[in-house]
């Protein structure tokens, strides 16, 4: 136990409790600035290095080789925990560095004036102040509109891991602070009647409950419980923390959290009113945001609503949907990727003439994929809670009122790539399809130099093809001759007896494997033997896709720069990451003229 504090100890404590949290903030701000600068440098360096494509060993490509080594090590080397959790090395590094930073500042210079090392009064007080100082940035990282995304260019959903990691680190530090105070002051129980101490205890109880419900199994299985508890828990914790630290003159670290939260809510409310103004009396009209629902499969609901003229988005972005008649609370918001394409690419007069009159298009049956360019479309995976209630509505093809908050998140800029590969599993085409269509549009308009596009989709039944069949057909028809399109669809679902009888196998165009021509068996059922599979470059195959072989084959024939965009299960994301590690993206490949590969990963589930 520490000796009684001298006046010199008190002066040192007060100074360090003020100075060290500020220094931690300066360190974090410098790191974010470097990350933001490197994001722009990496993009510029790749563009400069790939403008002059070379097919022999060249030292001029050393900067590009370094960039690719950095990508592989930081984002494709992963720490895999179980079957459903993956951390890339960038996340691991940030986690270790952040914890180390706080611990260093917590225990450095903790020798008292009397010479006692690691004086408990020193570090127990300081560790509480360090944790308190982090809550403004923790709160900011949990919001949809935050300055960290603005500085770094990293979307809020990707920063959500950092938000959770920092919150859990602070949680552990606060319990260390609480334990230290109990040990340090024998009269702890006598002060339980003090309001500041009760506020602190209340805050820690709320924080403990919040940490438990934020664990991935709870968060994914009962998201609604997490949603409610998170909102109330954060409010109780911040209010309690404010009054607890007020006596120690540390509340100035807490109140900015309320500002960041209120600013985000204000921006979201303004966006909500602007994009749904007909509901708020600013414009006459009814039903402009009414959504139709339908079941595409046993566990996928398609939600369609008329595209408001003033609402625009970019491929790959998400929106928060509020459905008062479905959700438990009136303004409960749930994030979904916008599966439709905000463009007139697929509704040209040429394609409309091929498909019929405009009236017929407007009365397309729900099963067609025409809405992908006429409306706002969302594909919703059914789990429990909110999505289960939405499924009950979709079973009757009901209509629901929808408020749209968005769009959010970045859109991948693929205009500078020579080859673009898209990998999706099931409803992952919500992300890959709009981006795929945007590449074709960019090539048509001369804004992209892309020469080859590969679209790989794994599905559990041949009927899934109907979801996007019409969009794919029109996209292929509109693609310019300079653009090669390859569509590979893999049906991994079990065959019914009827499908097996109707199935007809035919060899597709030979491919080479290890230098030996090999026939790929293509399965066509009566359900999918439509115009889509008569087009050049479109294949449907049975069984799981060999993503490792497919991606390595594309890398081997590609030149210049190559992007790979993936949205699917953890198994699909892991397979893609594994395929694009060394030696595929190694220094020797890049220096010898191989393609520079950029990977974009959009994962399923709540952040």
């Amino acid at each position: 136990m520490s000796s009684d504090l001298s006046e010199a100890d008190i002066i040192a404590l007060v100074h360090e409790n003020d100075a060290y949290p500020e220094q931690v903030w300066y360190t974090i701000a410098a790191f974010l600035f470097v990350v933001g600068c490197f994001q722009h440098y990496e993009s510029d360096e790749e563009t400069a290095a790939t403008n002059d494509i070379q097919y022999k060993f060249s030292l001029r490509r050393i900067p590009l080789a370094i960039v690719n080594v950095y990508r592989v090590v930081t984002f494709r080397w992963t720490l895999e925990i179980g079957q459903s959790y993956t951390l890339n090395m960038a996340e691991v590094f940030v986690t270790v560095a952040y914890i180390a930073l706080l611990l260093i500042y917590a225990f450095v210079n903790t020798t008292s004036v009397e010479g006692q090392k690691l004086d408990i009064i020193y570090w127990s007080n300081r560790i509480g102040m360090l944790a308190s100082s982090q809550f403004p940035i923790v709160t900011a990282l949990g919001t949809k509109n935050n300055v960290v995304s603005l500085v770094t260019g990293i979307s809020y959903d990707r920063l959500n891991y950092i938000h959770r990691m920092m919150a859990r680190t602070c949680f552990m530090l606060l319990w260390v602070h609480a334990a230290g105070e109990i040990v340090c002051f024998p009269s702890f129980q006598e002060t339980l009647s003090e309001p500041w101490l009760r506020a602190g205890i209340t805050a820690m109880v709320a924080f403990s409950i919040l940490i438990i419900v934020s664990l991935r199994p709870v968060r994914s299985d009962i998201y609604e419980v997490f949603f409610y508890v998170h909102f109330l828990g954060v409010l109780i914790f911040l209010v309690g923390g404010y009054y607890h630290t007020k006596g120690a003159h540390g509340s100035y670290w807490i109140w900015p959290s309320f500002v960041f939260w209120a600013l985000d809510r204000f921006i979201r409310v303004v966006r909500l009113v602007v994009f749904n103004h007909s509901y708020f009396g600013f414009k006459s009209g009814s039903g402009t945001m009414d959504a139709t629902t339908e079941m595409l499969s046993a566990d996928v609901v398609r939600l369609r609503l008329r595209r408001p003229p003033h609402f625009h988005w970019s491929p790959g972005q998400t929106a928060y949907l509020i459905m008062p008649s479905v959700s438990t609370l009136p303004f409960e918001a749930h994030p979904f990727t916008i599966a439709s394409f905000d463009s007139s690419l697929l509704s040209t007069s040429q394609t409309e003439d091929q498909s019929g009159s405009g009236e017929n298009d407007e009365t397309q049956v729900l099963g067609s994929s025409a809405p992908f360019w006429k409306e706002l479309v969302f594909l919703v995976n059914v789990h429990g809670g909110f999505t289960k209630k939405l499924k009950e509505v979709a079973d009757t093809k009901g209509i629901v009122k929808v408020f749209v908050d968005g769009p959010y998140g970045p859109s991948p800029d693929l205009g500078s790539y020579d080859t673009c590969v898209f990998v999706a599993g099931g409803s992952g085409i919500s992300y890959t399809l709009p981006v795929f269509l945007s590449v074709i549009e960019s090539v048509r308009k001369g804004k992209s130099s892309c020469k080859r596009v590969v679209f790989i989709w794994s599905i559990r039944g041949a009927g899934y093809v109907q979801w996007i069949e019409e969009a794919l057909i029109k996209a292929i028809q509109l693609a310019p001759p300079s653009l090669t399109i390859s569509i590979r669809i893999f049906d991994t679902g079990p065959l019914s007896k009827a499908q097996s009888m109707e199935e007809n196998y035919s060899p597709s165009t030979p491919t080479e494997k290890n230098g030996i021509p090999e026939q790929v068996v293509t399965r066509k059922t009566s359900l999918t033997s439509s115009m889509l599979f008569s087009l050049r470059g479109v294949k449907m195959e049975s069984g799981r896709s060999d993503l490792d072989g497919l991606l390595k084959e594309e890398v081997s024939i590609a030149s210049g720069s190559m992007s790979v965009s993936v949205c699917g299960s953890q198994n699909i994301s892991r397979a893609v990451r594994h395929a694009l590690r060394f030696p595929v993206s190694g220094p020797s490949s890049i220096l010898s003229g191989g393609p520079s590969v950029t990977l974009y990963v959009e994962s399923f589930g709540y952040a």
Side-chain angles (χ1 to χ4, degrees):
M1 185 178 295
S2 171
S3 57
D4 294 335
L5 287 177
S6 65
E7 184 176 350
D9 284 320
I10 295 175
I11 293 174
L13 270 173
V14 172
H15 171 72
E16 291 167 358
N17 284 352
D18 289 339
Y20 287 178
E22 291 180 2
Q23 293 176 22
V24 170
W25 263 88
Y26 293 146
T27 304
I28 294 174
F31 174 75
L32 294 177
F33 177 76
V34 171
V35 170
C37 291
F38 190 79
Q39 291 262 103
H40 296 294
Y41 168 79
E42 179 187 351
S43 176
D44 294 341
E45 185 65 41
E46 177 168 354
T47 301
T50 56
N51 281 338
D52 184 18
I53 299 173
Q54 300 184 29
Y55 298 93
K56 59 182 180 179
F57 188 88
S58 173
L59 295 179
R60 293 177 58 188
R61 295 171 64 87
I62 288 179
L64 188 59
I66 294 174
V67 168
N68 277 265
V69 170
Y70 159 76
R71 288 173 177 164
V72 172
V73 173
T74 54
F75 300 114
R76 299 174 203 170
W77 283 4
T78 56
L79 176 64
E80 297 175 356
I81 305 171
Q83 295 296 317
S84 60
Y85 199 74
T86 300
L87 290 177
N88 59 48
M89 288 299 107
E91 293 170 332
V92 172
F93 167 78
V94 170
T95 301
V96 173
Y98 180 72
I99 295 174
L101 176 68
L102 291 183
L103 290 180
I104 288 172
Y105 272 98
F107 293 103
V108 70
N109 294 333
T110 53
T111 302
S112 67
V113 174
E114 290 77 12
Q116 181 174 342
K117 295 182 178 180
L118 292 176
D119 192 307
I120 191 171
I121 294 182
Y122 271 70
W123 58 257
S124 67
N125 278 277
R126 189 191 303 166
I127 211 167
M129 196 62 70
L130 284 169
S132 300
S133 71
Q134 297 304 292
F135 284 104
I137 191 170
V138 172
T139 304
L141 288 170
T143 61
K144 308 300 178 291
N145 308 279
N146 66 77
V147 69
V148 180
S149 292
L150 185 63
V151 171
T152 62
I154 303 174
S155 64
Y156 79 91
D157 55 323
R158 297 189 184 281
L159 290 172
N160 198 267
Y161 165 77
I162 307 299
H163 162 73
R164 299 194 306 272
M165 179 273 294
M166 293 179 70
R168 290 164 183 168
T169 302
C170 292
F171 172 74
M172 291 185 290
L173 294 182
L174 287 176
W175 272 116
V176 172
H177 161 70
E181 293 296 297
I182 293 173
V183 172
C184 192
F185 296 102
S187 60
F188 178 81
Q189 291 185 345
E190 299 175 4
T191 59
L192 284 176
S193 59
E194 296 291 335
W196 64 270
L197 184 55
R198 288 189 173 185
I201 293 174
T202 303
M204 282 307 299
V205 170
F207 201 5
S208 301
I209 296 173
L210 179 58
I211 290 296
I212 293 173
V213 300
S214 68
L215 297 175
R216 180 178 287 262
V218 180
R219 197 172 72 248
S220 59
D221 292 342
I222 46 176
Y223 179 79
E224 284 74 16
V225 173
F226 162 74
F227 181 87
Y228 309 139
V229 173
H230 185 274
F231 181 84
L232 293 175
V234 168
L235 182 62
I236 294 172
F237 170 74
L238 290 178
V239 172
Y242 176 82
Y243 284 104
H244 178 72
T245 57
K246 193 174 182 180
H249 305 288
S251 58
Y252 64 91
W253 287 118
I254 303 295
W255 67 258
S257 300
F258 294 101
V259 176
F260 289 134
W261 182 86
L263 179 62
D264 174 67
R265 289 291 164 173
F266 174 75
I267 294 174
R268 294 183 66 179
V269 168
V270 170
R271 292 161 69 102
L272 200 64
V273 172
V274 169
F275 294 132
N276 306 271
H277 51 63
S278 62
Y279 281 146
F280 296 94
F282 296 114
K283 185 178 179 180
S284 60
S286 60
T288 55
M289 299 300 283
D290 289 348
T292 59
T293 60
E294 59 175 321
M295 295 300 302
L296 294 182
S297 68
D299 56 357
V300 176
V301 175
R302 180 159 71 180
L303 193 73
R304 297 169 44 193
L305 57 154
R306 190 183 309 168
R307 181 172 65 186
H310 55 280
F311 187 86
H312 297 282
W313 67 96
S314 299
Q317 289 190 299
T318 61
Y320 278 74
L321 303 184
I322 301 172
M323 304 179 210
S325 63
V326 178
S327 58
T328 304
L329 294 180
F331 283 92
E332 180 182 307
H334 294 263
F336 299 103
T337 303
I338 304 174
S340 46
F341 185 40
D342 186 14
S343 172
S344 59
L345 170 67
L346 301 179
S347 58
T348 61
S349 58
Q350 177 185 357
T351 56
E352 285 181 357
D353 290 340
Q354 292 173 355
S355 60
S357 66
E359 291 182 7
N360 290 337
D361 285 344
E362 292 297 334
T363 57
Q364 288 273 3
V365 295
L366 293 177
S368 77
S369 57
F372 277 107
W373 60 91
K374 290 182 176 294
E375 304 171 347
L376 269 172
V377 179
F378 301 90
L379 302 182
V380 181
N381 276 318
V382 177
H383 296 289
F386 170 81
T387 56
K388 185 177 180 180
K389 295 177 184 177
L390 184 61
K391 178 183 178 181
E392 295 173 357
V393 176
D395 284 334
T396 62
K397 294 187 177 182
I399 296 177
V400 294
K401 297 281 187 182
V402 178
F403 294 88
V404 179
D405 175 21
Y408 288 103
S411 177
D413 182 8
L414 307 183
S416 62
Y417 295 98
D418 299 283
T419 302
C420 296
V421 179
F422 301 94
V423 182
S427 61
I429 47 100
S430 296
Y431 175 81
T432 58
L433 179 64
V435 184
F436 167 75
L437 297 176
S438 71
V439 171
I440 295 177
E441 181 181 53
S442 297
V443 175
R444 278 176 58 88
K445 293 181 176 180
K447 297 180 179 179
S448 171
S449 59
C450 185
K451 300 177 180 64
R452 178 174 173 81
V453 177
V454 180
F455 188 88
I456 301 170
W457 187 25
S458 297
I459 55 179
R460 295 180 181 176
Y464 284 36
V465 177
Q466 289 184 313
W467 300 1
I468 63 171
E469 182 177 20
E470 191 172 348
L472 292 178
I473 291 173
K474 291 189 176 183
I476 295 173
Q477 291 173 339
L478 291 169
S482 62
L483 181 63
T484 302
I485 297 180
S486 174
I487 297 178
R488 306 285 293 272
I489 300 175
F490 294 86
D491 183 0
T492 63
L495 290 176
S496 66
K497 184 175 180 180
Q499 284 178 319
S500 299
M501 294 178 63
E502 293 171 351
E503 202 173 357
N504 107 69
Y505 291 86
S506 61
S508 62
T509 305
T511 60
E512 287 192 2
K513 187 174 183 181
N514 298 326
I516 302 174
E518 176 181 323
Q519 295 287 346
V520 177
V521 176
T522 302
R523 184 181 71 188
K524 299 181 180 180
T525 67
S526 61
L527 183 62
T528 61
S529 58
S530 62
M531 182 179 178
L532 175 63
F533 294 100
S534 67
L535 298 175
R536 183 179 179 181
V538 182
K539 300 176 184 178
M540 184 170 185
E541 306 169 29
S542 60
R544 295 184 179 275
S545 58
D546 178 14
L547 291 176
D548 184 80
L550 290 171
L551 291 174
K552 289 179 178 178
E553 179 184 355
E554 290 300 326
V555 171
S556 67
I557 64 176
S559 61
S561 58
M562 174 177 171
S563 72
V564 178
S565 304
V566 56
C567 183
S569 63
Q570 278 288 347
N571 289 335
I572 290 178
S573 299
R574 286 180 178 181
V576 172
R577 282 193 174 104
H578 290 175
L580 298 178
R581 293 176 180 173
F582 300 137
V584 172
S585 296
S588 59
S589 172
I590 303 300
L591 293 174
S592 301
S596 170
V597 183
T598 305
L599 175 61
Y600 298 90
V601 179
E602 186 78 9
S603 298
F604 281 159
Y606 296 105

